[in-house]
Amino acid sequence: GLGWSTAYSYLERRNDPGEHRVEVAAGARLHGPLSWSVGHREGFGTTATRNRLTHAGLALDLASHWSVAGTVYAGDARRGGSSNAVVIDVYRDAGPMAVTFNAGIGYSPDPDNTSVHARVVVPVAPQHALVLAAQRRSLGAEVEASVGWRYLWR
């Protein structure tokens, strides 16, 4: 069946006003080990930080608890204009109360940027998880780390 999610986040950068982000995503199994996903994120706050990001991808189950995914992103930001990126990810997901791991690499030709990222989701209760993430972008030599909390509504 169709799975879906919504997410809210708040991003604050040094010397920039804060940005609120709302994202919706959906996905489903196509056939056998192949599945699809789509999503859209809107950023809002001040007019300087408004942005949009749309993505679509395919994932393939490789072995027990392992999968690989390719995703195409199209973004439009008030600062920086529009950009596109391709990302390849590897996932390790062993079930609802097991640690989930994701790592990948992405490339955007305009502006020229390569990113490497990783995320670990550590369940602490059936509906709660700690989320740890890190990313390194070649553009501006940026490094980003985040800590978050995930709650699953049922």
Side-chain angles (χ1 to χ4, degrees):
L2 180 69
W4 62 275
S5 66
T6 60
Y8 167 81
S9 59
Y10 178 76
L11 179 65
E12 194 169 304
R13 294 184 177 103
R14 190 177 314 155
N15 301 323
D16 274 344
E19 176 186 11
H20 300 271
R21 292 177 170 182
V22 175
E23 182 172 358
V24 294
R29 185 140 323 263
L30 280 172
H31 180 67
L34 190 63
S35 58
W36 63 268
S37 64
V38 295
H40 181 78
R41 183 182 75 204
E42 285 282 331
F44 55 95
T46 67
T47 55
T49 60
R50 277 197 199 128
N51 70 67
R52 292 185 170 103
L53 181 68
T54 302
H55 57 88
L58 292 173
L60 179 66
D61 294 338
L62 298 175
S64 180
H65 308 296
W66 288 93
S67 62
V68 64
T71 308
V72 176
Y73 292 86
D76 183 37
R78 292 274 169 104
R79 283 189 184 163
S82 62
S83 65
N84 299 308
V86 176
V87 177
I88 302 295
D89 284 294
V90 174
Y91 294 89
R92 168 84 164 93
D93 185 355
M97 282 303 292
V99 172
T100 300
F101 172 76
N102 157 240
I105 187 165
Y107 175 71
S108 170
D110 186 24
D112 186 17
N113 180 48
T114 301
S115 66
V116 178
H117 56 272
R119 178 177 55 197
V120 177
V121 179
V122 182
V124 295
Q127 291 179 270
H128 299 269
L130 179 65
V131 181
L132 307 168
Q135 178 171 262
R136 178 20 170 119
R137 292 181 282 275
S138 64
L139 185 65
E142 292 181 326
V143 175
E144 177 181 313
S146 64
V147 175
W149 192 259
R150 180 175 289 175
Y151 178 77
L152 298 173
W153 280 272
R154 295 181 186 198

